[in-house]
């Protein structure tokens, strides 16, 4: 039987199942195959905070969405074209996101009376016409997998566990994905359990062959490789890119990296990743709590290391006092905040942008801290290097904002040449800087940057004491002098305000847009995709994205004031809008949704169009 | 570097100098601002006159403190110093000592700083055994905030915040440290410079975290808290001197094992020498050290002074350095290779 092959320019697939069904692994492998094939792609893992919620229930559903295309894309996609539902809960939890006409591949074996009842289905939706508006492919995934593994020396239960690889095989056939790397991956992953390795590979191949032979699938699809900029590519998640960026910051500055960290979702993977790179001289310290994590990082910075601490919002709260100490002692420090939905514990695995004002103001006293925000998963690499540059050059703590969406999402990344990365000069103090040639003044500043000298223990002649008490200008001795405090408060502020950051760039293809859509952080992808849609439909919109939130680029006010309307979508209740209104007296139009999910491009396109239409 | 070569050598990796040093070299140009009569003056003088004998390069010595009266200490030492925030000095010193094994790092803290707001960092520093010397100035009161009871104040303490008497049972810092399996635990007193310096000497050369509790008099808010230990009439009877290999006795009392396995203090004349407990500071089992730490109950009838426990186990910084060396055995990391790791593909 020769099957029809249909060409598509892009596809959005969502794998959904129980948290124990291995959906994240299945998604990761499909992503790797897709990256190898050469499509552009973007992913969105979405999983519960519970490691294993009760099986078969709605709270236990874990999903992985992948968008891939023959052209460059910016988001993991709004609505899936294909849903793989491993059980009734996965179907019920995801059906609402599915446009009519989309394909649904269901594992019929799991549609038992008991499982249906768990999620409130009175009758199986496969047996009535409630799914008539979708194209349903009923596949007994579990029993087909068990059948394929007949003869393997394993229990039925173990055989059933390979059903996600059967599904992966079927989808790999359906979209013409290369399979060799997945087979190699399974061999390596289960190297110590050869029977399990063979069983998973057999299930994977059985899934492929099933697609080839069954009549349930009459068409397979081809999505041609994307024409991306020439270069060497890899797929990378935000957390991995951020960890690599920190290693690069260490290499490019010559400073040994010291990470003090306490495990917290969704930041822990940065700790995991960095702990694997001790060959770069990286010291990772899993501290007793968030406060000790940042404290140890600051202590290491006092000793001349690149001190880093990684956390999420609840950890930032606890670290605030130590960040203030870094502000006043003027030591380099990087605090990575992988934001998640709050307040309090909130929704640990869901994304949000609501820590901006805490990053700006969440400390006692006048305590300015530079803020850098990454825009995409791969941009986390460059943002980490930029945070390093600012911290080291200006002797200041820097807050680097990522979020759950960037942290776990992934995209192809054109790997930069190491020679093209910036070189960062620590410029340690080596000799006394007093007029007498003998005295060392730890707070005598560089007139250009206002940075103070960084004199590390072990340097003879520069012994000095620093601390949290206000210091006298120049000498750094304890001072309660009113005028001196005013001077020091202003000096610390001027230093941060004067940080050299690149101008805000505006993307306006025709140059005559009257509406600007502005964003920061992880909203870059959805905003850019929305702007494209609006332009394709004939609308005119300019787009700009802020990487530096503090200080803002020098031309920010000028850019904002040169448009009739400025639209600012944020996954918070208008935090950057508040800052921009206060600073520039610009009547920014906010668009806010705080659902723990990224914006959808279609949604934002509508909002942009509405603003244009209201002109 | 292996564990056997460093054990007992807390300063083995710190560069030394042949230049002759005196107490004056270690005095900073800052005016000392404790209350007149404060016990901190005696401790500062004892430290400043002791450190020259270590023969270390002054620039490789760092004093880190938290918040409280005692935490002003680093400002007065002509070394590198970091006056940090309340309770966090052990955490800050941990990062410094873990990344710089060439430094001699000292933490100066008090009973409120170390045992109340910073209790968590203290116990974890002790269990990790990073190469630090923690000097805990215990005056059993909050001084800098003007006289509230502290976590070492006796039950029923009348203070500004407890006008009807404090309700909570105090920590015994030695029991806490032994319970956290600290590798070096000692107690000394501000007024006995010779003893204080002998304990500092042992602490400095111990590889790992050394905890030294120093009884320190606050003459403003808790004067004479340790008066029994200073009174010439009483002190020799009350003080049980702990010296490794020596029987544990005061002038009139002796320590012996009870049939139930505990310890008791008895009239020295009533027991034969052979029944008196001989101090073994190096015993790997901390239970006798713990039992010794309980002998000052009820309050101060007899108080052990000296090194309770000094055992050898690898320090965290040393193990961390060994992992780094192991990871770099095949050469230092290459950034280009790191970025190109995993599955890559070429376009164009």
């Amino acid at each position: 039987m020769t099957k029809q092959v249909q060409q598509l320019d892009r596809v959005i697939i969502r794998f959904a199942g129980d948290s124990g069904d291995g959906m994240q692994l299945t998604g990761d492998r499909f992503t790797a195959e897709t990256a190898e094939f050469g499509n552009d792609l973007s992913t969105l893992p979405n999983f519960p905070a519970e490691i294993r919620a009760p099986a078969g229930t709605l709270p236990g559903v874990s999903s992985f969405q992948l968008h891939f295309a023959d052209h460059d894309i910016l988001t993991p996609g709004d609505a899936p074209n294909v849903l793989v539902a491993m059980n009734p809960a996965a179907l019920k939890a995801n059906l609402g996101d599915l446009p009519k006409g989309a394909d649904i591949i269901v594992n019929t074996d799991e549609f038992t009376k008991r499982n249906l009842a768990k999620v409130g289905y009175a009758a199986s939706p496969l047996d009535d016409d409630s799914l008539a508006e979708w194209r349903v492919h009923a596949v007994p995934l579990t029993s087909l997998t068990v059948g394929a593994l007949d003869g393997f020396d394993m229990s039925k239960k173990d055989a059933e566990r390979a059903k996600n690889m059967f599904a992966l095989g079927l989808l790999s056939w359906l979209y013409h994905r290369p399979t060799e790397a997945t087979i190699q991956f399974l061999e390596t992953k289960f190297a110590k359990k050869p029977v399990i390795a063979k069983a998973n590979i057999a299930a994977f191949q059985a899934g492929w062959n099933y697609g080839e032979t069954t009549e349930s699938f009459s068409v397979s699809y081809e999505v041609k490789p994307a024409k991306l900029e020439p270069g060497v590519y890899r797929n990378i998640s935000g957390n991995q890119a951020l960890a690599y960026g920190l290693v690069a910051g260490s290499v490019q500055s010559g400073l040994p990296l010291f990470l003090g960290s306490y495990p917290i979702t969704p930041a822990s993977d940065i700790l995991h990743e960095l702990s694997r790179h001790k060959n770069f001289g990286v010291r990772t310290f899993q501290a007793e709590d968030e406060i000790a994590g940042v404290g140890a990082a600051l202590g290491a910075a006092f000793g001349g290391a690149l001190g880093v601490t990684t956390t999420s919002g609840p950890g930032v709260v606890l670290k605030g006092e130590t960040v203030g100490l870094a502000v006043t002692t003027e030591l380099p420090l990087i605090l990575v905040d992988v934001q998640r939905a709050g307040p309090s514990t909130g929704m640990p695995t869901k994304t949000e942008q609501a820590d901006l004002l805490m990053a700006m103001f969440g400390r006692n006293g006048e305590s300015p801290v530079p803020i850098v925000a990454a825009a995409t998963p791969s941009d986390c690499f460059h943002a980490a290097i930029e945070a390093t540059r600012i911290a080291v050059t200006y002797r200041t703590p820097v807050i680097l904002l990522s979020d759950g969406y960037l942290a776990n999402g992934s995209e192809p990344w054109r790997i930069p040449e190491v020679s093209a990365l910036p070189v960062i000069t620590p410029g340690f103090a080596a000799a006394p800087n007093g007029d007498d040639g003998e005295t060392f003044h730890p707070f005598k500043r560089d007139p250009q940057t206002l940075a103070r000298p960084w004199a590390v223990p072990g340097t003879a002649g520069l012994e000095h004491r620093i601390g949290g008490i206000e210091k006298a200008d120049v000498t750094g001795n304890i001072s309660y002098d009113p005028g001196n405090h005013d001077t020091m408060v202003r000096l610390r502020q001027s230093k941060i305000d004067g940080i050299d950051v690149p101008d805000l760039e505006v993307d306006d293809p025709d140059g005559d847009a009257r509406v600007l859509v502005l964003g920061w952080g992880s909203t870059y992808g959805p905003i850019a995709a929305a702007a494209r849609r609006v332009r394709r439909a004939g609308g005119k919109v300019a787009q700009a994205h802020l990487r530096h939130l503090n200080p803002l680029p020098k031309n920010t006010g000028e850019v904002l004031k040169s448009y009739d309307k400025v639209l600012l979508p944020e996954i918070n209740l208008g935090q950057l809008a508040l800052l921009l209104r206060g600073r520039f007296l610009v009547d920014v139009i906010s668009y806010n949704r705080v659902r723990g999910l990224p914006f959808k491009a279609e949604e934002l396109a509508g909002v942009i169009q509405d603003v244009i239409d209201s002109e | 570097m292996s564990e056997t070569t460093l054990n007992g050598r807390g300063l083995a990796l710190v560069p030394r100098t042949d230049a002759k040093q005196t107490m004056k070299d270690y005095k900073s140009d800052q005016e000392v601002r404790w209350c007149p009569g404060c016990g901190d003056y005696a401790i500062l003088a004892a430290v400043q006159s002791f450190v020259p004998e270590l023969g270390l390069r002054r620039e490789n010595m760092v004093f880190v403190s938290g918040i409280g009266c005692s935490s002003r200490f680093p400002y007065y030492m002509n070394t590198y110093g970091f006056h940090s925030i309340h309770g966090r000095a052990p955490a800050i010193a941990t990062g410094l000592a873990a990344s710089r094994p060439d430094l001699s790092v000292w933490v100066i803290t008090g009973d409120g700083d170390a045992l109340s707001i910073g209790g968590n960092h203290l116990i974890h520093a002790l269990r990790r055994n990073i190469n630090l010397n923690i000097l805990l100035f215990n005056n059993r009161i909050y001084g800098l905030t003007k006289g509230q009871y502290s976590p070492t104040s006796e039950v029923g303490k009348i203070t500004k915040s407890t006008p009807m008497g404090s309700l909570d049972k105090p920590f015994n810092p030695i029991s806490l440290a032994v319970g956290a399996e600290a590798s070096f635990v000692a107690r000394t007193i501000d007024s006995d410079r010779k003893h204080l310096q002998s304990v500092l000497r042992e602490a400095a050369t111990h590889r790992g975290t050394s905890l030294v509790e120093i009884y320190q008099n606050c003459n403003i808010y808790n004067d004479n808290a340790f008066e029994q230990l200073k009174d010439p009439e009483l002190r020799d009877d009350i003080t049980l001197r702990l010296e490794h290999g020596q029987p544990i006795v005061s002038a009139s009392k002796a320590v012996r094992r009870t049939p139930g396995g505990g310890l008791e203090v008895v009239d020295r004349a009533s027991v034969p020498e052979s029944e008196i407990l001989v101090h073994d500071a190096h015993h790997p089992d901390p239970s006798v050290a713990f039992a010794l730490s309980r002998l000052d109950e009820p309050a101060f009838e007899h108080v052990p002074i000296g090194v309770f426990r000094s055992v050898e186990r690898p320090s965290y910084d040393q193990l961390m350095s060994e992992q780094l060396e192991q990871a770099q055995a095949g050469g230092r990391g290459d950034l280009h290779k790191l970025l190109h790791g995993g599955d890559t593909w070429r376009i164009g």
Side-chain angles (χ1 to χ4, degrees), chain A residues 29 32 34-39 41 181 226-235 244 247-248 250-252 256 258 273 277-289 291-305 321-323 325 329 331 381 412-413 415-418 421 455-469 476-478 480, chain B residues 1 15 27-30 33 57-65 67 72-103 117-118 120-125 127-128 130 316-317 320-329 331-348:
Chain A
R29 283 319 310 167
T34 298
E36 189 194 346
F37 184 73
N39 295 124
L41 65 89
K227 288 186 191 64
L228 300 172
E229 269 189 81
V232 178
Y233 283 76
R234 67 179 289 169
N235 191 53
Y244 284 5
V247 173
S250 164
V251 170
Q252 294 302 96
F258 183 97
E273 183 67 40
H277 301 299
K278 294 182 167 62
N279 58 332
F280 284 87
V282 174
R283 286 181 154 84
T284 53
F285 171 66
Q286 184 176 316
E288 59 269 25
D289 59 26
I291 299 173
V294 68
L298 184 62
F302 181 65
E321 189 184 14
T322 309
V323 175
L325 180 65
T329 53
L331 285 168
F381 176 81
W413 178 43
I415 305 169
E417 288 301 327
V418 171
L421 300 177
V456 301
T459 316
L462 306 190
E463 295 84 356
H464 66 283
R465 278 65 56 190
I466 56 170
I469 301 183
N477 291 329
I478 290 178
Y480 289 89
Chain B
M1 83 188 105
K27 286 186 171 176
S28 78
D29 60 356
Q30 297 299 293
R33 287 189 201 164
R57 294 176 64 125
R58 189 161 48 87
E59 63 270 21
N60 285 72
M61 188 171 272
V62 185
F63 284 80
V64 182
S65 63
I67 291 292
R72 296 293 179 98
F73 195 97
Y75 288 114
Y76 310 134
M77 292 295 297
N78 191 17
T79 61
Y80 281 88
F82 201 158
H83 178 215
S84 71
I85 42 180
H86 208 9
R88 317 303 170 201
I92 288 169
T94 289
L96 180 62
S99 56
R100 292 286 306 271
D102 62 323
L103 301 177
I117 193 166
N120 195 34
H121 306 308
L122 181 75
I123 54 172
H124 287 277
R127 93 180 153 83
R128 269 188 205 109
I130 288 182
Y316 181 95
D317 51 294
M320 190 183 227
S321 294
E322 282 169 9
Q323 281 195 346
L324 256 65
E325 279 172 27
Q326 196 187 331
Q328 296 179 71
R332 210 173 154 82
D334 179 303
L335 189 54
H336 179 86
K337 270 193 201 152
L338 173 71
L339 303 184
H340 286 76
D343 300 335
T344 61
W345 67 96
R346 180 175 286 281
I347 290 178

